[in-house]
């Protein structure tokens, strides 16, 4: 696993041993960022200088990719100890400690946000069906800015966009489904 593009292109990222963490594959991350960079509803201005939240962060690959491509800062929510160790190592490998904040927390029960984020990544466990729960909890805790883009890697799509969100795009990549939502303004 590595950073695909930008300032940290090619930097290798560590992943914890075992099956507890499923890092977003390089090709899926590339597809997501291509979609964000080139879509008429997104564009590089939605990534550059963005405040990013990477919930269910795992290795932090999504948040670090956004930082590599010009995001201003990133907050990572993760509650698995092995994933937290890999996440902290990856932040150090990219020398991004000054722009990152790691919170050992569950994205379905997040702490109160210090500021709302413009770009939110969710990579919940595929089979647990917690995306909607996490979105509602993150919104209630103040993590999602009005008009924010929310990008989710999901195994089974929701039947409809969660309340307060508009579906902008969905793309299948093997077993992964990428959903891009926009929070109500």
């Amino acid at each position: 696993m590595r950073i695909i593009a930008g300032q940290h292109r090619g930097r290798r990222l560590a992943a914890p041993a075992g099956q507890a963490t499923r890092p977003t594959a390089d090709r899926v991350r590339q597809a997501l960022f291509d979609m964000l960079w080139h879509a008429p509803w997104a564009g590089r201005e939605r990534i550059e200088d963005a405040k990013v939240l990477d919930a269910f962060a795992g290795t932090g690959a999504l948040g670090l990719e956004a930082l590599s491509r010009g995001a201003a800062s990133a907050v990572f929510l993760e509650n698995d100890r092995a994933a937290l160790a890999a996440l902290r190592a990856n932040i150090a490998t990219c020398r991004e400690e000054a722009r990152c904040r790691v919170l050992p927390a569950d994205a379905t029960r997040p702490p109160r946000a210090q500021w709302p984020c413009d770009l939110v990544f969710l990579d919940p466990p595929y089979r647990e069906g917690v995306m909607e729960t996490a979105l509602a909890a993150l919104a209630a805790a103040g993590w999602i800015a009005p008009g924010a883009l929310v990008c989710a890697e999901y195994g089974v799509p929701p039947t409809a966009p969660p309340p307060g969100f508009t579906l902008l795009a969905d793309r299948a990549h093997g077993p992964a489904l990428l959903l891009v939502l926009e929070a109500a303004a």
Side-chain angles (χ1 to χ4, degrees), residues 56 106-110 122 128-140 154 162:
F56 303 100
D106 182 343
T108 64
R109 294 185 303 276
L122 292 167
E128 292 183 21
V130 296
M131 184 182 80
E132 294 87 349
T133 302
L135 275 175
L138 292 166
Y154 205 65

Side-chain angles (χ1 to χ4, degrees), residues 55 65 67 70 78 85 102 138 154 169:
E65 188 76 42
L67 287 173
E78 178 55 61
V102 177
L138 292 166
Y154 205 65

Side-chain angles (χ1 to χ4, degrees), residues 2-18:
R2 62 188 172 80
I3 299 290
I4 302 298
Q7 173 185 357
H8 304 303
R9 182 180 181 173
R11 293 253 170 101
R12 293 205 176 274
L13 300 175

